[in-house]
Amino acid sequence: VYGTALLTNGNHKQPLLTRLRRGSRSAFCRIFTFCPDSLISQPPFLTRSAGPVQSACLWGILTESAPAAQNGAEMSKITADALIPCVRDYLKRQGLVFNYSEELKGFGFGMELKNDRGVAGVAAVCGDDSLIAFCTSPLHIRDERRNDVAEFLHRVNMNMLFGCLQFDIDKGSVRYMAYSRLCGVMPDDSTLASIMMAFRVIDDTEPLLEAVDKGEISPKDAAAKLES
């Protein structure tokens, strides 16, 4: 069983915190659970597929690379309510039709993958001083192929610098998640572009993910091909 798959099987009730160091900077990782299904399973999201796209509900990893407050000073924060209009305006400028959930403080919409591979579900969730982007693949991984897919995703994640691919090994669903900590600064378009980047990661990964699911390529070769 690979690390990526193990993330989906925990029974933890409390967040787990660990501190990582990379060069002169430090980051905090938090294991969490979140499921934005309600954002991507209702109109206008589903325009082509036969049923709701399954998104993963699993333990994933958030990386927060913000510097600590200097001299004990309290760092100002952007509230979720203040961030929502900013994200809404960005999505409108992209010409997207989206759902909004007040309960989740998040937006959901669908985007067609290249080569008629289906519709991916994208969600942007506003938190206090944070923005989380998800994109869920329309693929459903078959039971007998899930170990290979877990290996493929684990290999890809090892070299991913921002965000991670997540796998619900029970449901057979795959998604990409990217977390941005805002550090008290209202995001500009380059930060908000992480929402669209989440879709692009799934769009680029999907052909090899499907090939691994069909047994047409080994997980190791698929990961090497994606990174080449």
Side-chain angles (χ1 to χ4, degrees):
V1 180
Y2 296 91
T4 305
L6 285 173
L7 292 174
T8 69
N9 294 327
N11 292 315
H12 308 288
K13 300 301 182 183
Q14 301 294 329
L16 304 178
L17 297 177
T18 183
R19 186 176 180 88
L20 305 178
R21 291 192 177 276
R22 182 174 181 178
S24 61
R25 304 190 66 180
S26 59
F28 289 90
C29 291
R30 176 174 55 190
I31 296 179
F32 78 114
T33 184
F34 183 81
C35 185
D37 283 337
S38 59
L39 290 177
I40 59 174
S41 61
Q42 35 183 303
F45 165 64
L46 290 174
T47 56
R48 295 182 48 199
S49 41
V53 172
Q54 293 182 345
S55 75
C57 180
L58 69 159
W59 297 95
I61 296 177
L62 293 178
T63 58
E64 303 182 5
S65 57
Q70 298 295 323
N71 302 320
E74 189 92 11
M75 186 182 295
S76 61
K77 292 185 177 181
I78 302 295
T79 66
D81 289 337
L83 180 60
I84 286 166
C86 179
V87 174
R88 180 184 288 114
D89 290 346
Y90 174 80
L91 295 178
K92 286 181 177 178
R93 291 199 304 275
Q94 302 302 311
L96 296 166
V97 179
F98 50 82
N99 302 314
Y100 173 71
S101 167
E102 179 62 37
E103 179 183 2
L104 295 174
K105 297 188 182 298
F107 301 84
F109 56 94
M111 296 189 70
E112 290 191 5
L113 297 167
K114 57 192 172 189
N115 301 323
D116 296 320
R117 292 183 177 273
V119 179
V122 185
V125 181
C126 303
D128 288 337
D129 220 32
S130 67
L131 175 65
I132 310 174
F134 299 89
C135 184
T136 303
S137 165
L139 274 181
H140 177 266
I141 307 302
R142 296 169 296 161
D143 289 350
E144 64 272 20
R145 302 301 305 163
R146 291 179 186 177
N147 284 341
D148 278 356
V149 166
E151 179 186 347
F152 167 64
L153 297 175
H154 183 69
R155 289 179 180 276
V156 173
N157 279 335
M158 284 295 293
N159 292 317
M160 193 170 288
L161 298 179
F162 180 70
C164 64
L165 288 158
Q166 302 173 332
F167 184 34
D168 188 325
I169 202 166
D170 293 322
K171 292 182 178 180
S173 54
V174 176
R175 73 178 182 184
Y176 173 81
M177 184 277 294
Y179 172 90
S180 298
R181 189 175 180 195
L182 303 178
C183 306
V185 178
M186 192 63 75
D188 57 14
D189 279 7
S190 63
T191 301
L192 293 168
S194 64
I195 300 170
M196 306 306 296
M197 186 191 74
F199 167 74
R200 289 194 292 272
V201 169
I202 287 294
D203 201 20
D204 291 341
T205 306
E206 189 82 2
L208 288 166
L209 181 63
E210 184 175 8
V212 173
D213 181 48
K214 290 180 177 179
E216 297 173 349
I217 188 172
S218 72
K220 183 177 181 179
D221 289 345
K225 189 172 182 179
L226 183 65
E227 293 162 11
S228 62

